[in-house]
Amino acid sequence: MAESAVCPAFQLGRPRYDQGSFFGRLRHFIDVIDPTTLFVSEKQLKDSLKLLDDFKNGIVPPGVSDDKLWEAQKIKQAIIHPDTGEKIFMPFRMSGYVPFGTPIVIGLLLPNQTVLSTVIWQWLNQSHNACVNYANRNATKPTPTSKFLQGYVGAVTSAVSIAVGLNVLIEKAHRLNPATRMIIQRLVPFPAVASANICNVGLMRHCELSEGIDVLDSNGNVVGSSKIAAKHAIMETAFTRVVLPMPIFVLPPIIMSYLERMRFLQKNRRLLLPIHSVVCLVTFGLSLPVAISLFPQMSQIEVSRLEPEIAMATDCKVVTYNKGL
């Protein structure tokens, strides 16, 4: 009895943890973003996929535990896109978001930024975000390359414009003393990144609004395509992209402004960058699972709130859609 509480019976395609609660979603997404899955070999991935296929066909070898089946599904969810069935490029997986994104965050938060450095770091950040958003989108409908490029240009332009504009305003605020100005400058990346992230998600996934996304019944069968479900999916994802940078771009500047006043660090300035890097890494690593756990990836919506043709196509009261990450 105690063992089943620790490791529940395996259910193919179902999350290991309850998605109806925030804590259950948090545990689920900690698995999804686990950076150790970046080191899974091609053989391990093939073995995991074969094990899951065997389970589906009822031919699992004896002695295979539920824990091993859950681990196989964890590997699949971390690497394979749920709609396309294809591997997600490593830097753009959710498990690669923190390792590959942290150097960019460190660059964004460096003090005494010039206009050129602000432009470069914002461009790098939104380029990475655009690729992550595209790689983890709802892919039940194809997205033309032209739409991807339009979204990318729009997201980068908005981020750079907001960040540079805020920096120029701060430079002109002569009434602020140098210490206050530096703290405010360090906080500039947050409104720039948060607003650009909304543009990024909306522009990178604009096709979903015009084409709709597939909604599924309780048996996993496609009922139809819904633009209303697509709108909900994009709004939920955009909200998580506003929450995500909040601690990342607010806490490190506050923490570093305090640490920099310590006598030890004033005598050992070379330690500031490594400490800054660790602070950014820890904050990013803690913020990501919390932000994406606000909503389940496979979200549900009442049929009565969708298009009439969806309601006519099913007897289900509730349908499911892939929100994306």
Side-chain angles (χ1 to χ4, degrees):
M1 196 71 153
E3 187 178 343
S4 62
V6 174
C7 183
F10 179 73
Q11 293 180 287
L12 185 64
R14 298 293 182 94
R16 179 171 183 168
Y17 307 105
D18 174 29
Q19 297 299 283
S21 70
F22 172 78
F23 184 64
R25 293 194 297 272
L26 182 63
R27 295 181 72 186
H28 168 71
F29 283 117
I30 286 172
D31 273 355
V32 171
I33 68 166
D34 181 0
T36 62
T37 58
L38 296 172
F39 302 101
V40 169
S41 67
E42 193 67 30
K43 182 180 184 304
Q44 284 176 288
L45 176 60
K46 286 180 179 177
D47 289 346
S48 296
L49 295 176
K50 184 179 184 305
L51 182 59
L52 295 173
D53 282 340
D54 287 346
F55 180 87
K56 185 177 180 179
N57 297 321
I59 51 173
V60 178
V64 174
S65 65
D66 286 320
D67 201 46
K68 189 164 186 178
L69 288 164
W70 284 120
E71 183 63 23
Q73 183 158 280
K74 170 184 171 178
I75 290 171
K76 180 183 177 182
Q77 288 176 334
I79 299 173
I80 305 296
H81 193 287
D83 295 331
T84 64
E86 297 175 356
K87 285 176 66 175
I88 300 172
F89 185 45
M90 187 185 291
F92 308 144
R93 297 174 195 165
M94 293 310 290
S95 55
Y97 204 3
V98 173
F100 289 96
T102 297
I104 299 173
V105 171
I106 294 167
L108 282 165
L109 292 173
L110 289 173
N112 304 315
Q113 297 270 13
T114 64
V115 172
L116 179 60
S117 66
T118 298
V119 170
I120 291 171
W121 287 116
Q122 289 289 350
W123 168 68
L124 285 171
N125 184 52
Q126 289 305 322
S127 296
H128 185 231
N129 284 346
C131 292
V132 170
N133 288 336
Y134 183 78
N136 294 278
R137 74 198 184 284
N138 179 301
T140 53
K141 296 288 186 293
T143 302
T145 306
S146 59
K147 292 289 185 183
F148 171 82
L149 293 174
Q150 287 173 18
Y152 171 73
V153 171
V156 170
T157 303
S158 63
V160 171
S161 301
I162 294 166
V164 172
L166 289 171
N167 272 324
V168 169
L169 285 175
I170 292 165
E171 287 298 327
K172 291 183 177 180
H174 300 297
R175 294 180 183 177
L176 299 175
N177 64 58
T180 304
R181 186 181 296 175
M182 180 176 285
I183 292 173
I184 294 175
Q185 277 181 322
R186 282 181 163 183
L187 295 173
V188 161
F190 170 63
V193 169
S195 53
N197 281 355
I198 296 173
C199 297
N200 201 319
V201 173
L203 291 168
M204 295 305 298
R205 296 177 58 177
H206 180 70
C207 277
E208 295 174 33
L209 292 173
S210 56
E211 300 289 333
I213 59 175
D214 288 350
V215 292
L216 314 174
D217 62 18
S218 54
N219 296 317
N221 301 314
V222 177
V223 175
S225 291
S226 170
K227 295 179 183 178
I228 296 173
K231 182 180 176 182
H232 280 269
I234 291 172
M235 286 175 62
E236 289 171 356
T237 305
F239 183 73
T240 65
R241 292 300 194 274
V242 173
V243 174
L244 174 59
M246 197 178 295
I248 298 172
F249 291 108
V250 172
L251 291 180
I254 294 171
I255 293 169
M256 290 308 298
S257 65
Y258 170 75
L259 292 178
E260 285 168 2
R261 292 198 294 268
M262 295 175 64
R263 188 174 299 173
F264 173 73
L265 288 178
Q266 286 179 350
K267 291 180 178 178
N268 298 275
R269 305 294 291 179
R270 66 183 183 280
L271 295 176
L272 282 174
L273 184 58
I275 291 172
H276 184 203
S277 302
V278 171
V279 170
C280 290
L281 178 63
V282 171
T283 311
F284 198 174
L286 294 175
S287 302
L288 180 60
V290 172
I292 60 177
S293 298
L294 294 174
F295 305 99
Q297 181 172 0
M298 299 304 293
S299 294
Q300 294 186 323
I301 188 169
E302 294 174 359
V303 172
S304 58
R305 298 171 63 188
L306 300 179
E307 294 87 344
E309 57 268 27
I310 300 291
M312 292 171 63
T314 181
D315 295 328
C316 294
K317 299 284 187 186
V318 175
V319 289
T320 305
Y321 59 91
N322 176 15
K323 171 184 69 68
L325 289 175

